[in-house]
Amino acid sequence: MGKSSHIQGRKGNKFSQHLRGVNLEQVLIVAIDAAKLHQKALICNYFGDIIVKPFFFSVNRDGIQSLCDRIKQAEKDCNAVRIFLGIEATGHYYEDIVRILGQHGYDVQIINPYTTKEERASALNWCKTDDLDLVAIAHAIVGNKATETKLPEGKYRELLTLTRARRSEVRKRSSLRMEIRGIMDVIWREFQGFSPDDHHKPIKTKIFSDMWGKSSLFFMKYSPHPSMVLALGEQGIRESSRKHNLKIRSSTIQKLLHAANQALSRPKEELAAELLLLSMKLEDLERYDQKICRLECEIESVLLQTDGKLLLSIPGIAVVTAAEAYAEMGDVSQYENPHQIIKKAGTNPVVIQSGGGKGYYGSISKQGNDHLRFVVYTAGKSLSLHNTDLRPFYERLKEKGKHARKIHIAMGNKFLKIAFAMLRDKKPFLSQNVQKQYADEMNKKLKYHSIANHLTAS
C-alpha cells in the first residue's frame, strides 16, 4: 500500500503497518497524564480493556523505574507484541518523562491538549478529572492523533529556549515602557509630544523621534522635569549633548525648551514620589535592555552553528526571526511537505464545504504551535515591507481587497514554504536580483558575529 493511500497520509500508513496482522488484544496502550508533582498512568489494550488501573508515579529515578516495571509486567501478562505510549503536552512537565522513557527504549507520542479536550467532548462528558484525561489520551493514541514523537534536542532545543526567553523579556520590557510613559505623563505630559499653538487641527509634534532613544532616555534620567530643562537652557543642553554624544539637533532643542516653558506640571517638590519611581523604572529598563542584548548575542552565535543561518539570506528576515522559525519548525526532515508545518503553526485556513458545493476558506485554524504562529505573522509582516522578490505577491493580495493581517499571514505561510525548501536542500534564498550577494545580505544582519565571505549553494 502506497504512502498516499491512507486517509492520514504517511503518519497513518506508518501506524497501520505496526498494527496490520497483529492480534489487537496483544497491543498495549499506555496513557500518561503529566503534572508538576502527581503524574498518573493507565495501561489498557487496544479495545480499551484495562490491564493496569490508573496509578500515580513520581518523576524521579524510582518513579520512572516503577512505571517501566508496570509496563513490562503488563507486556508479560498480555504477551504484548506492540506497545504505544502517549502523553498530553502539559506545560513543560511532560518533557522529562518523554526524555527519560526514551532512554529506556520507549517512543512516547505527544498529544496536543486540544485533542484530549475534544476527546472528552466527543464522549458528551464535560467533567475533567485525571482518570477522564487518561481515557481521552488512550482514545487519542488509538486514533493515532498524536502530533509529535520527539522532543527538540541539541541546537534546536537551545535556540528554542533562548528565543522564547527573549520574547518573554521583550514583552516585559514593553509593559515596563508603558509604565514609564504613564509616570512621565504625570511629571511632564508634553515630553512625549505637544500640539503647536499655531495650528487649529489636532497635530502632534514630537520632541524626540524615538521615546527610547539615547537622547530621550538621557533627559528622562537626568532632567525629567521641565524646570530642570529650563535651568539648563539652550547652552546647557548643547554642552550635555557634546559631553554625552547625544547629537541633539537645534530644532529638537527648541522644541524641548518650548515644551518646558509651556508646561503646566506640578512643582518638582510635589512630584518627589513620581521622580523616584521614574528613576527606579529606568534602572529596570536598562537591565532589561542588557538582558535582551545578551540573549540576542547568544541567539546569533547558536544560529550561525546551524543550517538556520541560511534563512538570513532572505531579505526581510533578521536574526531573531530566523532563529525562532528554525527552532519552532524543528528538523524539516520529519515533514513530507511545508503544508504540515503550516498546519503545525495553526495558520492553515479552515475549509468549509458540504453538499458537493465549491466551499470556501474561513479563518485560520489556530490549532497549533502558538509560538510558530507568532513567527509566521511577524515574518509575513516584515517580508511584505522589505522583500522586493515577494512584493508582487503582497500587491496581488492587496488588489483583491484582503485585510493587512490576512496578507501578513499568507505571506508568512509563503515564508514557511520557502524556508522548508531552503533547509531541506541546504540552499540559500534565490533572489531575482542576480547582483545580490548572499554573504553580504547575511552579514549586514549580524551585530556580534560574522560569517564567511561566500556561501556555497550545494
Side-chain angles (χ1 to χ4, degrees):
M1 185 177 291
K3 288 184 179 180
S4 62
S5 61
H6 197 281
I7 60 174
Q8 289 185 327
R10 184 176 66 171
K11 174 185 171 185
N13 188 64
K14 183 178 178 181
F15 186 72
S16 64
Q17 286 178 354
H18 283 296
L19 295 176
R20 189 167 283 112
V22 174
N23 182 357
L24 296 182
E25 291 186 355
Q26 294 178 293
V27 176
L28 283 187
I29 304 295
V30 182
I32 304 172
D33 185 25
K36 185 172 184 178
L37 294 176
H38 306 294
Q39 284 65 223
K40 208 168 186 180
L42 164 71
I43 303 177
C44 62
N45 64 18
Y46 192 84
F47 295 109
D49 300 322
I50 296 177
I51 308 301
V52 180
K53 293 181 179 180
F55 60 91
F56 289 104
F57 68 95
S58 301
V59 182
N60 52 37
R61 294 183 186 278
D62 291 341
I64 296 295
Q65 187 59 55
S66 173
L67 172 63
C68 292
D69 290 343
R70 287 175 182 258
I71 294 173
K72 289 177 181 177
Q73 185 60 48
E75 287 183 84
K76 183 178 179 181
D77 294 341
C78 298
N79 295 319
V81 294
R82 296 287 187 275
I83 179 169
F84 296 94
L85 290 84
I87 188 170
E88 185 182 49
T90 306
H92 59 272
Y93 302 122
Y94 71 98
E95 294 179 358
D96 285 335
I97 301 174
V98 174
R99 178 173 57 86
I100 300 301
L101 285 176
Q103 294 175 4
H104 281 77
Y106 295 108
D107 286 331
V108 184
Q109 301 179 36
I110 302 170
I111 298 169
N112 192 306
Y114 284 110
T115 300
T116 56
K117 179 181 178 182
E118 291 301 320
E119 288 291 341
R120 289 195 302 270
S122 66
L124 301 181
N125 194 331
W126 282 264
C127 298
K128 187 183 184 304
T129 66
D130 290 341
D131 288 354
L132 288 175
D133 283 344
L134 288 173
V135 172
I137 293 169
H139 280 300
I141 297 171
V142 171
N144 192 28
K145 297 180 180 179
T147 55
E148 297 174 279
T149 58
K150 293 182 179 180
L151 293 172
E153 297 292 343
K155 296 301 179 184
Y156 290 109
R157 181 181 178 278
E158 195 172 348
L159 277 177
L160 204 65
T161 302
L162 290 170
T163 53
R164 290 185 181 183
R166 177 198 171 273
R167 194 186 310 165
S168 175
E169 295 301 314
V170 168
R171 286 172 175 169
K172 292 175 185 176
R173 183 177 66 178
S174 297
S175 297
L176 179 61
R177 285 177 172 178
M178 291 302 296
E179 292 183 47
I180 293 173
R181 284 184 181 274
I183 296 172
M184 280 305 299
D185 278 341
V186 176
I187 297 173
W188 182 8
R189 64 187 300 172
E190 293 87 356
F191 184 84
Q192 298 180 58
F194 61 91
S195 180
D197 298 332
D198 56 346
H199 288 81
H200 301 288
K201 295 181 179 180
I203 299 174
K204 179 181 178 180
T205 299
K206 290 184 178 181
I207 298 174
F208 300 100
S209 59
D210 183 6
M211 176 74 174
W212 312 109
K214 186 177 180 181
S215 300
S216 179
L217 288 172
F218 176 84
F219 280 95
M220 281 194 285
K221 185 174 183 179
Y222 297 106
S223 303
H225 194 270
S227 64
M228 302 168 79
V229 172
L230 292 174
L232 283 174
E234 183 176 348
Q235 187 62 30
I237 294 173
R238 291 188 183 278
E239 289 178 2
S240 295
S241 178
R242 285 193 295 270
K243 183 178 179 181
H244 300 282
N245 193 29
L246 301 179
K247 299 179 181 178
I248 303 178
R249 297 178 179 178
S250 297
S251 59
T252 302
I253 295 175
Q254 296 305 317
K255 287 187 287 186
L256 185 63
L257 289 171
H258 173 77
N261 188 54
Q262 293 293 319
L264 298 177
S265 301
R266 291 173 179 270
K268 185 172 63 175
E269 294 73 22
E270 295 182 20
L271 296 170
E274 285 80 3
L275 290 169
L276 175 61
L277 281 175
L278 177 64
S279 176
M280 294 170 62
K281 297 294 183 182
L282 288 173
E283 290 175 2
D284 292 340
L285 180 62
E286 187 175 353
R287 284 193 288 270
Y288 275 120
D289 288 337
Q290 292 172 353
K291 287 193 289 185
I292 291 170
C293 285
R294 186 174 177 183
L295 284 169
E296 289 177 349
C297 178
E298 189 63 24
I299 288 169
E300 188 174 289
S301 175
V302 177
L303 179 66
L304 292 178
Q305 300 173 44
T306 70
D307 290 337
K309 63 179 178 289
L310 292 168
L311 300 179
L312 296 177
S313 65
I314 305 176
I317 298 299
V319 172
V320 172
T321 303
E324 286 184 314
Y326 181 75
E328 297 294 346
M329 284 192 297
D331 187 357
V332 296
S333 65
Q334 63 184 312
Y335 307 108
E336 284 187 301
N337 57 70
H339 296 285
Q340 293 172 319
I341 306 177
I342 293 172
K343 188 173 182 180
K344 178 180 179 179
T347 51
N348 56 306
V350 177
V351 181
I352 311 296
Q353 184 269 337
S354 66
K358 185 177 180 181
Y360 63 93
Y361 290 107
S363 60
I364 60 174
S365 69
K366 295 186 179 180
Q367 293 182 340
N369 183 329
D370 57 344
H371 298 285
L372 181 55
R373 188 158 58 250
F374 177 84
V375 176
V376 170
Y377 181 80
T378 54
K381 186 175 182 180
S382 180
L383 290 172
S384 297
L385 294 172
H386 306 295
N387 193 300
T388 55
D389 294 287
L390 299 178
R391 187 73 183 181
F393 178 75
Y394 170 83
E395 296 294 346
R396 285 199 303 272
L397 294 180
K398 188 176 180 181
E399 288 174 3
K400 292 180 180 180
K402 299 293 184 181
H403 192 278
R405 286 195 295 271
K406 289 186 177 181
I407 297 177
H408 296 157
I409 289 291
M411 183 70 82
N413 286 341
K414 194 171 189 66
F415 163 70
L416 290 183
K417 296 175 183 178
I418 294 171
F420 171 79
M422 290 171 59
L423 295 173
R424 179 196 60 197
D425 301 335
K426 294 181 171 34
K427 292 184 178 181
F429 181 74
L430 299 177
S431 174
Q432 294 177 356
N433 184 354
V434 295
Q435 296 180 346
K436 189 179 291 294
Q437 299 295 320
Y438 300 125
D440 292 341
E441 178 67 28
M442 297 166 73
N443 267 321
K444 74 179 184 180
K445 299 173 182 178
L446 302 176
K447 294 182 181 179
Y448 310 98
H449 305 84
S450 179
I451 63 169
N453 293 326
H454 65 279
L455 188 65
T456 57
S458 59

